[in-house]
C-alpha cells in the first residue's frame, strides 16, 4: 500500500478570485467540484497523475497570521525567463515578500491573499517538472520528514542532508517535494497543506492505519463528518488522506 501526493489544499477568503490568479500564473484550467471550492489542473490532465500536483482552493474566513509552512516554487529556464515571469506575476497582482531570505538567487513573492511563493532561478533539475518546480514544506528535521513521507507515499528520496530533503514521484515526473529546515515554530493550523490519495485497489481505513504506524496521528476535527481522513505528520503538519482512486 502507498499514497500519492495529488494536490495542494489552500484556504482562501475569495477562492474564485485567488483561483483565477493561480490559473493565470500556471496556465492551468479552472473547475469547481462544489460550492466554495475552486480546482486547478493542467489542460487535458487526467487526475490523478504524478506529472502534476494540482491545487484546490477552499473558501475560509480564517485570517492569515503567519508565514505559510507549505508553499510552491515556480520553475524558470533562463535569467531572462525569470525576469519575465516575475514581471508577469507582479502585473497579475503578486507583490514582493520578505520572509528573511536575505540575498538569494530566487525571487520571493506573495499572491493577492499574502501566500508566499518563490520564482526559482534556472536549474536543470527543474527542466521537466512543469510550472511548479517544487512543493516546499518548512520543517525542523528534514531527515526525519524524508523518512516519514517516503514511506507514506510512493515518492523516492533524491537528496537528504541536515538542511533539506528532496523527494519526487517514483515515476520520475512532476514537481519535487522539498523539506527545508527552519527554526520557525508551527503555530495553528496550516493554511496550505498536502492532500494524498491511496490507489484505487487500497482501503482508506487500512491505509490510514498504516500511516499511523509510521508516525502520523489523527487531527482533532471536532466530530466533523467527512468522507476523507485528516492526519498530522510527525511535525504536526495537517494532511488529508482522500478516498482511494
Amino acid at each position: 500500500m502507498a499514497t500519492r501526493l495529488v494536490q495542494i489544499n489552500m484556504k482562501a477568503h475569495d477562492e474564485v478570485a485567488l483561483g483565477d490568479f493561480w490559473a493565470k500564473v500556471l496556465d492551468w484550467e479552472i473547475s469547481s467540484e462544489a460550492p466554495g471550492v475552486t480546482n486547478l489542473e493542467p489542460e487535458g490532465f487526467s487526475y490523478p497523475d504524478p506529472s502534476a500536483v494540482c491545487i484546490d482552493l477552499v473558501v475560509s474566513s480564517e485570517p492569515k497570521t503567519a508565514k505559510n509552512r507549505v508553499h510552491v516554487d515556480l520553475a524558470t529556464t533562463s535569467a531572462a525567463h525569470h525576469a519575465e515571469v516575475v514581471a508577469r506575476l507582479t502585473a497579475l497582482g503578486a507583490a514582493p515578500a520578505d520572509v528573511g531570505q536575505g540575498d538569494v538567487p530566487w525571487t520571493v513573492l506573495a499572491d493577492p491573499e499574502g501566500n508566499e511563493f518563490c520564482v526559482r532561478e534556472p536549474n536543470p533539475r527543474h527542466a521537466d517538472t512543469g510550472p511548479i518546480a517544487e512543493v516546499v514544506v518548512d520543517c525542523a528535521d528534514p531527515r526525519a520528514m524524508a523518512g516519514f513521507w517516503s514511506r507514506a507515499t510512493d515518492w523516492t528520496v533524491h537528496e537528504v542532508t541536515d538542511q533539506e530533503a528532496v523527494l519526487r514521484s517514483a515515476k520520475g515526473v512532476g514537481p519535487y517535494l522539498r523539506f527545508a529546515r527552519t527554526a520557525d515554530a508551527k503555530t495553528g493550523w496550516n493554511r496550505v497543506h498536502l492532500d494524498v490519495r491511496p490507489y484505487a485497489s487500497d482501503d482508506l481505513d487500512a491505509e490510514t492505519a498504516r500511516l499511523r504506524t509510521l508516525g502520523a496521528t489523527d487531527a482533532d476535527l471536532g466530530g466533523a463528518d467527512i468522507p476523507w481522513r485528516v492526519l498530522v505528520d510527525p511535525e504536526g503538519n495537517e494532511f488529508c488522506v482522500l478516498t482511494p482512486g
Side-chain angles (χ1 to χ4, degrees):
M1 293 192 296
T3 65
R4 297 151 289 167
L5 174 57
V6 292
Q7 63 202 34
I8 303 162
N9 185 295
M10 182 182 300
K11 301 293 187 292
H13 294 146
D14 186 336
E15 81 288 358
V16 174
L18 195 61
D20 182 67
F21 169 84
W22 278 102
K24 290 174 179 173
V25 168
L26 302 170
D27 194 23
W28 282 5
E29 293 185 331
I30 301 177
S31 61
S32 179
E33 66 187 62
V37 180
T38 295
N39 311 103
L40 306 181
E41 60 183 40
E43 182 178 359
F45 185 72
S46 181
Y47 175 92
D49 188 279
S51 62
V53 173
C54 301
I55 297 179
D56 277 7
L57 299 105
V58 181
V59 68
S60 172
S61 60
E62 298 172 5
K64 183 180 186 297
T65 59
K67 174 181 176 290
N68 290 336
R69 294 186 70 81
V70 180
H71 72 267
V72 298
D73 283 1
L74 304 181
T76 62
T77 57
S78 67
H81 184 224
H82 180 276
E84 175 189 327
V85 170
V86 171
R88 182 173 68 87
L89 272 50
T90 300
L92 289 175
D98 185 353
V99 294
Q101 67 269 23
D103 184 17
V104 293
W106 58 87
T107 301
V108 183
L109 299 174
D111 71 18
E113 291 201 7
N115 299 297
E116 305 85 4
F117 65 98
C118 298
V119 181
R120 291 298 301 266
E121 75 283 11
N123 186 328
R125 186 168 76 184
H126 303 151
D128 62 350
T129 61
I132 298 178
E134 299 181 349
V135 179
V136 183
V137 181
D138 289 351
C139 70
D141 188 341
R143 292 184 183 277
M145 290 291 272
F148 171 80
W149 281 97
S150 64
R151 293 191 297 271
T153 66
D154 59 1
W155 283 41
T156 302
V157 176
H158 281 243
E159 176 186 345
V160 60
T161 70
D162 290 339
Q163 297 304 312
E164 67 175 19
V166 179
L167 287 69
R168 197 184 194 192
S169 167
K171 295 186 178 180
V173 296
Y176 291 85
L177 176 63
R178 180 161 60 92
F179 295 96
R181 189 181 187 91
T182 177
D184 298 336
K186 181 180 185 291
T187 58
W189 278 67
N190 286 344
R191 192 169 182 79
V192 182
H193 69 255
L194 308 180
D195 285 350
V196 301
R197 185 181 292 274
Y199 284 88
S201 59
D202 290 336
D203 177 80
L204 177 61
D205 289 332
E207 182 59 23
T208 302
R210 185 185 74 87
L211 294 172
R212 291 191 191 103
T213 68
L214 297 178
T217 54
D218 294 300
D220 183 2
L221 302 180
D225 184 18
I226 53 177
W228 58 88
R229 306 291 182 264
V230 184
L231 302 177
V232 296
D233 71 16
E235 290 203 5
N237 299 296
E238 301 84 14
F239 67 98
C240 293
V241 186
L242 307 179
T243 55

